[in-house]
Amino acid sequence: MSKIYEETKFLMKKYGITANKKLGQNFLIDDNVIEKIVDTSNITNEDLIIEIGPGLGTLTKELLEKAGKVICIELDNRMITILKDRFFMYKNFEIINEDVLKVDLNRIIKENKVSGQIKNVKIVANLPYYITTPIIMKLLEERLDIESITVMIQKEVADRLTEIPGGKNGGAITYTVYYYAEAKELLTVPNNSFIPEPEVESEVIRLELRKKPVIEVTDEVKFFTLIKASFMQRRKTLLNAISNSTLNISKEKIEQILKDLNIDTKVRGETLTIEQFAEIAKKI
Ligand code: SAM
């Protein structure tokens, strides 16, 4: 058994911890996975690492050795006690006991960058799977001043996030990710790399944030509403999906737009490229 497995078992026993399923608690016990996450994140002492859901602190420990600063955001206050006990001696350690979805990340990043010591901000996390999508959407849509997001998520979601728009694994979120970032799959992680074992396979992915979105879009709200509408009713043709949506546009008008853009009027939204969605949105 690995050292991390022994350490995890020891901490759980010492603090009387049983994993809380509702909080997506699956603790990493695989040294290779931790090494891969930390090494490929290229962490330096000019980096601020924001770790979401540090849990017992397995990844945190490695991050603290390399980063200029590590800010952990953890909801479960049982973990806060453990993390404080384990890392109080690290000057570069800070912890926030809060739901990550409620934290003002933009403010935290700005405050930390003012000092001058922090040049880059990176997000690193073994995410709680029950809120993977809202967390990723928050990190992207809030246009944070960050360089990359390296996260462990369920494999099925990873396939969707790293798909090319128009590809077979795509969903509405595929377009959002592609718009803001370049996505890479780093490593598939078997279920026995965690205690307790999750019911689904996992994967580590990295999103490298683009300096500016991949295409120019005049009205982002309309653009993303259009994409979401197309995927809400993905079995329908694009024509039917849009005309039944909140975009409030007649079937005839959309049909004309599609014809003008040389797009087959029987097409389903899921096969369109991001550029085609942008062109349709522009004409609506
Ligand atoms: N990083 C640890 C590891 O790799 O062993 C734990 C990862 S575990 C998959 C997810 C962690 O996210 C848990 O510690 C859980 O308590 C925490 N968590 C769950 N919901 C959260 C939320 N809304 N905000 C912040 N942390 C949350």
Side-chain angles (χ1 to χ4, degrees):
M1 281 298 157
S2 74
K3 202 171 136 248
I4 292 177
Y5 171 82
E6 299 296 346
E7 196 173 71
T8 304
K9 279 286 185 193
F10 169 78
L11 286 169
M12 290 177 80
K13 193 163 175 219
K14 179 175 172 195
Y15 289 92
I17 300 288
T18 45
N20 183 340
K21 263 195 164 185
K22 282 197 187 131
L23 288 182
Q25 290 180 349
N26 300 95
F27 304 116
L28 247 178
I29 49 158
D30 188 328
D31 303 75
N32 293 328
V33 175
I34 290 163
E35 200 180 304
K36 178 96 182 185
I37 294 175
V38 175
D39 285 355
T40 60
S41 297
N42 296 322
I43 301 167
T44 75
N45 62 3
E46 294 187 330
D47 289 340
L48 161 64
I49 304 293
I50 300 180
E51 188 191 3
I52 301 165
L56 301 165
T58 310
L59 251 173
T60 320
K61 192 168 160 219
E62 305 305 318
L63 299 172
L64 282 166
E65 297 295 341
K66 300 209 159 162
K69 186 165 178 184
V70 179
I71 298 182
C72 292
I73 304 170
E74 172 61 61
L75 185 59
D76 185 347
N77 40 29
R78 299 175 307 163
M79 302 300 156
I80 303 295
T81 311
I82 302 174
L83 294 162
K84 281 186 177 161
D85 280 358
R86 287 188 79 184
F87 305 128
F88 72 92
M89 71 293 256
Y90 284 87
K91 297 271 178 291
N92 58 344
F93 172 64
E94 198 179 305
I95 189 152
I96 299 171
N97 186 191
E98 177 73 272
D99 173 354
V100 65
L101 296 177
K102 294 187 184 147
V103 174
D104 184 349
L105 291 171
N106 253 320
R107 182 184 53 77
I108 292 174
I109 292 168
K110 271 198 198 107
E111 280 171 6
N112 278 277
K113 275 206 152 179
V114 181
S115 72
Q117 191 218 331
I118 299 296
K119 301 270 188 291
N120 305 306
V121 182
K122 296 169 180 165
I123 310 274
V124 178
N126 170 16
L127 286 181
Y129 293 175
Y130 75 105
I131 42 168
T132 303
T133 304
I135 294 177
I136 299 282
M137 291 301 278
K138 173 183 169 83
L139 297 176
L140 295 173
E141 288 185 338
E142 290 187 0
R143 299 202 173 221
L144 306 172
D145 182 10
I146 56 177
E147 197 179 89
S148 64
I149 302 169
T150 306
V151 280
M152 170 98 69
I153 56 179
Q154 55 275 55
K155 170 130 184 39
E156 199 192 328
V157 179
D159 289 343
R160 211 173 316 134
L161 300 194
T162 55
E163 180 60 285
I164 291 167
K168 70 173 172 36
N169 293 316
I173 197 171
T174 307
Y175 294 80
T176 310
V177 170
Y178 191 78
Y179 184 70
Y180 291 112
E182 253 180 276
K184 258 191 253 162
E185 291 176 279
L186 293 185
L187 173 76
T188 305
V189 182
N191 300 18
N192 64 6
S193 295
F194 306 85
I195 307 180
E197 290 191 17
E199 276 145 30
V200 291
E201 224 187 334
S202 304
E203 186 151 293
V204 181
I205 63 160
R206 157 128 356 104
L207 308 181
E208 307 264 2
L209 277 289
R210 300 182 194 278
K211 297 272 173 273
K212 58 180 184 66
V214 69
I215 49 166
E216 232 175 87
V217 168
T218 28
D219 183 339
E220 282 184 356
V221 175
K222 200 187 284 170
F223 172 66
F224 284 115
T225 308
L226 172 68
I227 293 174
K228 278 180 198 143
S230 313
F231 279 87
M232 283 268 231
Q233 310 174 42
R234 62 188 295 167
R235 294 231 180 85
K236 290 196 170 158
T237 60
L238 180 69
L239 194 62
N240 285 332
I242 305 178
S243 54
N244 284 331
S245 75
T246 54
L247 283 161
N248 228 343
I249 172 166
S250 74
K251 210 166 173 174
E252 292 68 38
K253 179 95 202 295
I254 307 162
E255 200 162 10
Q256 194 52 54
I257 291 174
L258 295 181
K259 278 184 185 153
D260 291 349
L261 293 170
N262 281 328
I263 297 172
D264 182 354
T265 51
K266 293 202 176 59
V267 81
R268 287 207 208 141
E270 63 194 22
T271 61
L272 291 195
T273 64
I274 195 164
E275 290 81 5
Q276 285 175 314
F277 271 119
E279 283 170 3
I280 299 171
K282 203 167 164 186
K283 283 186 176 278
I284 289 179

